[in-house]
Amino acid sequence: MSQPLPPLQSLLSAMPALPDARRGEFARRYSEQEAVLHQRLSGLYGTLPGFARWYAELAAQVGRLAAARPAELQAQDEQRLANPDWFQDQSMLGYCAYADRFGGSLAGVAQRIPHLRELGVRYLHLLPFLRPRAGENDGGFAVASFDDVDPKLGGNADLDALTARLRAAGISLCSDFILNHVADDHPWARGARRGDSALRAYFHVFPDRRMPDRYERTLGQVFPQVAPGNFSYVEDMGGWVWTTFYPYQWDLNYANPAVFADMAAALLRLANRGIEVFRLDSTAFLWKREGSNCMNQPEAHALLQALRAIVAIAAPGVLLKAEAIVPTRELPAYFGDAQAPECHIAYHSSLMAAGWGALAEQDAALLRAVLARTPELPPHTSWLSYVRCHDDIGWNVLRAEAGEADGADAGPERARARLAAIANFYSGSAGQYADGARPSGAAFQSSDPHAAHGSNGMAASLAGLAGVPAQVAPPPSPQHPSRPQPLAQDLERQQAALRRALLLHGLALSAGALPVLYMGDELAQRNDDSYRGRSEHAMDSRWLQRPVFDEYAFAQRGDPATPAGQMYGGLRALLGARRRLDALAAGAPRTVLASAAAVLALARGPRFVALFNFSGSMQPHTLARVTPGQGAADAGWRDSLTGQLCSGVVELAPWSMLWLEAAP
Ligand code: OTU
């Protein structure tokens, strides 16, 4: 058999139609990436027979897909190569939605562009919209095709039209790239069922329980109630298939180089359709190792660094986002480093969970502990901050922070008890804010009332925005002078709930990240408990936070007398202030200042401070500017929202925040 071409020649041989100048550009990019790409892949697969040929074919595949990349996207690549920090700008704002709930279809989503532009959205994460498994498919997270749009949402032409419309509006489309598993009716799974041995090797299949039982000794469980265990017996596979999530989601075997090559090609094909950001779903689970929890393994990072190198060659304007809901200490690794970058963006799930924890505890200690553990990031990267998403709030990412007491490690039992108390607070049965309002949420997969697994609910509902009385209570009358004033109390609680939700949005918008709004939060939409009546969803309370876009609330967005109007107005005021403040760019410095326990005081450089009161009582805070060489100067500050000057001691009302700029 002939020797494989050297990789660069293999890459270039796949792009004969390109003019020499373009080929030269790709040769340059390949040469920049080769060290990492070849080193990571030979580290994973180098001992396998035929590695050199496989690697040359991979290079050719990358060349073919690079050559096929539309000119407009290649131009966008060049712009972003010249401005690699484009997504760190304080004007960046994300929005996350299910296409069917937001617009009914991909074409319908295009009709929502004016709404996105009114908010200043520049990044739209549409939850899975590729063809999912027939039947139950975990909200689209069981993918049956990486190349076809879900027929319920439209066709491939609709995706091309949508990405073009969004690009023209300055909005980058983000798509889930579900690379840990495929649906059990994906062609690879179907082939494996038919006995295709090459496709069977795309999965982890065991003839008996010997190895599954050995793995299970150290594995966690994602759905302990509805899908216990990590392996499912499949009759026509004649064995146990690795299924970290639902039984119909078959984990891919990345020890098989064919899996990596096919998934990298699938991503590049989607990138060539105009998807600009890929949310790498369940990326922590990619590599399995007996005796470990099979999360965050070094090989998983090697895979991601290799994938990043391939993207840097063929589609350098595309961003990779790590969806790794893991402890804070495990998060920075998903950015890689300057020598071997990995993802551009990563969810700061600990910051999100700690914000909700601070509200439940009326104390910002968890937030201070998370921020203390949040390192500076490598160049050209950003955290992603958020208040809610389509998933549960996973409390276990906070075990380290929750185990702290007065800065010392108080041990796992304290962490467990503390997180269980927070989970119970939001479970909808045990919690009550200081004003008497109750969080309306649901426990997630928590069979053990003391195991803080997760919590579900829309932001407004978890913040205690109860159902506003359908009929407004009539005012007191001479006949009924003592009629209770439910309206006044309801209104006070409504205001407090909106302040609590807005507090968390204010944190997400000022913490130093790319903030992503979750559809409905901008209108204070509440839980949708209709899932309880759908047999395929009743066991998964994450559907509580997957409502349809509320047109009625949308129509009220300009009316400050309504919860939707107050939330929308409050958010837009923060967004407007944020856009003009360089101090709030993702990469700007961040320092936690001393404050009362219930207050988080966050300095973003010397000229901006955000103060957040997580309690139901007024909290004083002494303003002081540390001017180099002059120590703390009691200089003036200006409220970013009201323009009001303040200095000395400010009084933070319950659940309120202040954004302050150093007065000149
Ligand atoms: C992710 O899950 C998705 O966000 C979920 O919607 C999917 O069900 C799941 O993958 C399978 O595709 O952290 O890294 O706590 O919220 O497992 C995986 C349950 C994730 C999920 C969690 C999440």
Side-chain angles (χ1 to χ4, degrees):
M1 184 185 281
S2 64
Q3 282 304 313
L5 283 175
L8 176 54
Q9 270 180 271
S10 187
L11 176 96
L12 295 178
S13 68
M15 32 180 54
L18 280 193
D20 287 350
R22 294 298 299 149
R23 289 156 60 87
E25 166 63 12
F26 284 107
R28 185 187 63 73
R29 288 184 201 166
Y30 176 79
S31 305
E32 276 179 359
Q33 301 302 326
E34 179 169 43
V36 169
L37 182 59
H38 191 268
Q39 198 281 333
R40 295 300 183 273
L41 292 179
S42 54
L44 290 165
Y45 309 123
T47 56
L48 299 177
F51 171 73
R53 184 171 306 281
W54 172 83
Y55 185 84
E57 176 42 38
L58 177 69
Q61 172 98 283
V62 171
R64 282 192 291 274
L65 288 162
R69 187 161 171 79
E72 185 185 354
L73 298 177
Q74 294 205 36
Q76 189 180 66
D77 291 341
E78 297 298 332
Q79 288 162 7
R80 288 176 178 172
L81 282 168
N83 177 21
D85 294 335
W86 66 275
F87 57 95
Q88 289 185 348
D89 190 89
Q90 66 271 20
S91 66
M92 279 303 286
L93 174 68
Y95 190 91
C96 173
Y98 273 105
D100 65 333
R101 282 154 166 70
F102 185 42
S105 66
L106 294 185
V109 168
Q111 302 310 312
R112 295 285 189 199
I113 289 175
H115 173 44
L116 297 174
R117 288 178 63 89
E118 187 178 83
L119 281 168
V121 168
R122 291 185 51 195
Y123 162 122
L124 172 63
H125 171 202
L126 285 184
L127 285 154
F129 53 78
L130 295 176
R131 185 159 60 79
R133 175 181 186 267
E136 180 39 26
N137 54 52
D138 185 23
F141 283 92
V143 173
S145 167
F146 290 103
D147 294 292
D148 300 303
V149 165
D150 181 349
K152 294 194 194 88
L153 298 175
N156 286 352
D158 295 303
L159 176 59
D160 298 341
L162 178 62
T163 55
R165 289 277 307 272
L166 288 169
R167 211 166 34 248
I171 299 172
S172 297
L173 181 62
C174 170
S175 165
D176 292 279
F177 187 64
I178 300 149
L179 72 168
N180 178 70
H181 46 267
V182 294
D184 62 357
D185 62 356
H186 183 282
W188 298 342
R190 288 210 306 271
R193 290 170 180 275
R194 284 196 305 270
D196 179 321
S197 57
L199 289 177
R200 183 185 178 91
Y202 273 44
F203 305 100
H204 304 270
V205 192
F206 304 93
D208 52 42
R209 284 294 309 186
R210 189 173 59 84
M211 283 311 294
D213 289 345
R214 283 169 52 174
Y215 278 112
E216 285 287 10
R217 289 175 198 155
T218 51
L219 288 175
Q221 298 199 49
V222 175
F223 303 130
Q225 281 187 325
V226 294
N230 291 277
F231 300 88
S232 303
Y233 187 76
V234 181
E235 194 68 37
D236 48 8
M237 293 285 275
W240 296 82
V241 177
W242 198 307
T243 56
T244 298
F245 298 95
Y246 283 112
Y248 52 74
Q249 291 165 303
W250 291 9
D251 287 50
L252 288 167
N253 180 2
Y254 277 91
N256 178 349
V259 169
F260 177 82
D262 279 355
M263 290 305 284
L267 186 145
L268 289 182
R269 289 196 300 271
L270 288 165
N272 285 353
R273 311 194 68 118
I275 292 168
E276 298 178 29
V277 186
F278 289 94
R279 173 188 181 272
L280 303 183
D281 181 73
S282 309
T283 187
F285 295 88
L286 295 182
W287 194 268
K288 317 304 187 188
R289 170 172 277 109
E290 187 186 352
S292 78
N293 64 0
C294 295
M295 294 180 74
N296 311 313
Q297 297 299 300
E299 292 86 351
H301 291 294
L303 287 166
L304 292 177
Q305 289 162 22
L307 189 61
R308 171 66 180 269
I310 286 172
V311 165
I313 294 165
V318 158
L319 300 182
L320 299 181
K321 174 174 73 174
E323 191 267 345
I325 309 304
V326 296
T328 316
R329 68 177 177 279
E330 303 281 3
L331 283 172
Y334 285 93
F335 293 106
D337 58 34
Q339 286 66 46
E342 209 163 301
C343 295
H344 302 82
I345 305 170
Y347 282 86
H348 204 323
S349 44
S350 307
L351 185 69
M352 179 276 292
W356 287 105
L359 272 185
E361 296 189 328
Q362 298 197 61
D363 185 303
L366 283 173
L367 277 170
R368 283 188 288 272
V370 164
L371 289 168
R373 285 172 164 80
T374 300
E376 287 309 308
L377 293 183
H380 318 318
T381 60
S382 172
W383 292 109
L384 181 146
S385 58
Y386 60 119
V387 174
R388 285 298 289 121
C389 70
H390 71 294
D391 272 342
D392 51 301
I393 302 172
W395 301 111
N396 290 325
V397 299
L398 292 176
R399 279 198 184 113
E401 291 87 351
E404 269 187 26
D406 304 327
D409 183 355
E413 182 44 35
R414 169 180 162 86
R416 192 203 54 72
R418 195 169 166 195
L419 295 175
I422 292 170
N424 276 326
F425 180 83
Y426 288 113
S427 65
S429 58
Q432 192 165 334
Y433 289 105
D435 62 347
R438 304 177 71 82
S440 172
F444 177 67
Q445 296 296 313
S446 302
S447 41
D448 167 3
H450 302 296
H453 191 103
S455 300
N456 287 312
M458 289 290 282
S461 296
L462 292 174
L465 183 66
V468 176
Q471 71 292 342
V472 174
S477 65
Q479 293 77 11
H480 303 282
S482 63
R483 183 196 297 269
Q485 280 279 358
L487 192 58
Q489 187 189 42
D490 282 341
L491 276 180
E492 277 161 28
R493 284 183 178 173
Q494 187 183 109
Q495 303 302 312
L498 292 170
R499 279 206 310 278
R500 289 190 285 264
L502 210 50
L503 194 68
L504 294 177
H505 286 294
L507 174 64
L509 291 172
S510 60
L514 194 172
V516 176
L517 293 176
Y518 183 58
M519 187 208 83
D521 276 356
E522 78 273 29
L523 300 171
Q525 277 193 232
R526 298 197 303 277
N527 295 340
D528 170 8
D529 56 11
S530 63
Y531 78 99
R532 300 185 207 280
R534 299 192 298 269
S535 59
E536 70 278 16
H537 294 157
M539 79 297 180
D540 189 341
S541 58
R542 289 178 296 167
W543 290 94
L544 199 55
Q545 64 253 10
R546 299 175 182 174
V548 174
F549 188 74
D550 182 338
E551 295 290 357
Y552 180 68
F554 181 63
Q556 293 181 324
R557 70 187 184 285
D559 178 355
T562 65
Q566 287 167 42
M567 178 55 78
Y568 199 76
L571 256 182
R572 290 193 71 205
L574 291 170
L575 290 166
R578 180 171 183 269
R579 277 194 290 272
R580 60 177 177 75
L581 288 163
D582 295 346
L584 297 187
R590 172 181 51 234
T591 313
V592 176
L593 304 176
S595 66
V599 173
L600 177 72
L602 194 60
R604 299 296 317 278
R607 301 187 58 77
F608 180 87
V609 170
L611 302 173
F612 305 89
N613 177 3
F614 283 90
S615 76
S617 50
M618 190 284 293
Q619 297 287 340
H621 183 81
T622 303
L623 295 174
R625 238 155 77 198
V626 179
T627 308
Q630 297 169 16
D634 179 9
W637 296 85
R638 182 184 301 282
D639 184 315
S640 299
L641 302 183
T642 65
Q644 192 177 345
L645 283 172
C646 48
S647 66
V649 179
V650 292
E651 294 196 339
L652 294 167
W655 302 297
S656 70
M657 80 181 110
L658 273 180
W659 282 15
L660 301 172
E661 299 163 60

